[in-house]
Amino acid sequence: MAVQALRILVVDDDPNLLYILSRFLETDNHRVTGCTTGEAAIETFCKNPTDFDLLITDLTLPDRDGWEIADQVKALRPEVQVMLITGWVEELDEKKLSQHRIACVINKPYRFDEVQKAIASLFQT
């Protein structure tokens, strides 16, 4: 289920998870920029908003939440896809997902094939 190489901004406050997910995505030939804070992610995106096709962000971060990061990204480039990763196992409100224009949600702990399938469904050619 290969997808063209994407430019992905990944945000997770756990540096180990950020590293592992980034390396995994790179094995699929994606170009990954990683950030451990919401503030860094927003700053990185704002500097070069055309450099990204996909935002993958954790929902719960110490400084900003995934909702706010998604809103900032979508305000600059509405066409950027947003994938939310969360450890909250209960279902997220569909209305809230739609309001923040979240394309898909992956629950932690996730498997890499789940991430691959979600990316493929967002970027089918």
Side-chain angles (χ1 to χ4, degrees):
M1 202 177 291
V3 174
Q4 78 273 13
L6 300 171
R7 300 158 304 166
I8 305 173
L9 178 59
V10 179
V11 190
D12 198 311
D13 61 320
D14 181 327
N16 293 321
L17 289 177
L18 177 64
Y19 177 82
I20 292 166
L21 181 56
S22 296
R23 297 297 80 77
F24 167 75
L25 293 167
E26 288 171 347
T27 64
D28 278 348
N29 296 316
H30 301 302
R31 191 187 84 205
V32 179
T33 302
C35 296
T36 56
T37 67
E39 188 64 37
I42 291 168
E43 184 178 308
T44 298
F45 189 85
C46 287
K47 282 182 185 174
N48 295 298
T50 59
D51 281 359
F52 300 100
D53 305 302
L54 172 63
L55 166 67
I56 301 176
T57 183
D58 193 3
L59 174 60
T60 308
L61 299 163
D63 64 333
R64 308 256 183 136
D65 62 27
W67 306 118
E68 187 176 352
I69 298 166
D71 290 345
Q72 293 279 332
V73 164
K74 289 291 200 173
L76 287 172
R77 288 208 40 237
E79 69 276 13
V80 171
Q81 297 290 343
V82 178
M83 180 185 301
L84 194 65
I85 295 179
T86 181
W88 298 98
V89 290
E90 74 271 359
E91 284 190 34
L92 295 171
D93 182 311
E94 288 296 322
K95 185 177 178 184
K96 190 167 186 174
L97 291 170
S98 177
Q99 175 186 353
H100 294 281
R101 298 177 280 179
I102 305 297
C104 68
V105 177
I106 301 288
N107 289 312
K108 289 181 181 179
Y110 52 83
R111 294 187 331 264
F112 293 127
D113 66 315
E114 291 176 289
V115 176
Q116 282 177 312
K117 287 177 186 173
I119 291 172
S121 72
L122 296 175
F123 294 93
Q124 291 178 350
T125 55

